[in-house]
Amino acid sequence: MISYEEVKTCLLSITQADSEELESKRTLIENAICYVEKITKDYTEEDKSRVILLAAARANYYIALLDGNENGITSFKAGDVSFSKGKSSLSESAKTFYESTLAESADLVKSGDFVFRTVD
């Protein structure tokens, strides 16, 4: 099993968040851990760091989705000059990172195959 502290440490290294900010998002991080633990096969100690990274990437995506709506000012206009920042850039980047990490960890993820057998 992976722990909250392991995933938090990984998040500190892949994001610009500080420890206090991540602590305020603890529920999202723990949810990501539960999800990743559920979808992964039994893994060896050798693969544990990959599972931790996968959970951190998932948590980062959750956090980006939440924070994407709290960025404050997204556009500025002064006369003929205007600037606008896309709201989804952070969440799109986090999603891409998560999907990439998931693809690289495909060998650790349980198969979602469904087998239908006869009904008696």
Side-chain angles (χ1 to χ4, degrees):
M1 281 192 79
I2 56 177
S3 71
Y4 166 77
E5 289 301 324
E6 290 170 318
V7 174
K8 181 180 168 186
T9 299
C10 185
L11 275 167
L12 287 169
S13 70
I14 65 172
T15 66
Q16 296 177 356
D18 61 23
S19 189
E20 281 184 31
E21 183 181 350
L22 292 180
E23 195 61 42
S24 72
K25 309 279 198 277
R26 186 178 184 121
T27 302
L28 295 174
I29 297 168
E30 289 176 344
N31 186 288
I33 292 168
C34 288
Y35 178 80
V36 168
E37 287 285 347
K38 183 176 180 170
I39 68 164
T40 52
K41 302 174 187 176
D42 291 335
Y43 51 87
T44 64
E45 192 65 30
E46 186 176 282
D47 292 322
K48 188 174 182 178
S49 63
R50 293 171 57 208
V51 176
I52 291 169
L53 180 61
L54 182 59
R58 178 98 179 172
N60 183 48
Y61 179 49
Y62 288 160
I63 292 167
L65 287 173
L66 181 67
D67 289 349
N69 295 324
E70 300 174 357
N71 285 339
I73 298 172
T74 58
S75 65
F76 173 79
K77 185 171 183 173
D80 293 337
V81 177
S82 65
F83 169 80
S84 50
K85 177 177 135 187
K87 288 184 178 181
S88 65
S89 61
L90 180 62
S91 60
E92 287 300 316
S93 174
K95 181 180 180 184
T96 301
F97 179 66
Y98 169 66
E99 289 173 344
S100 172
T101 306
L102 183 60
E104 291 171 1
S105 303
D107 60 312
L108 301 174
V109 176
K110 294 176 188 171
S111 172
D113 295 344
F114 174 77
V115 178
F116 184 80
R117 298 183 187 215
T118 60
V119 178
D120 296 332

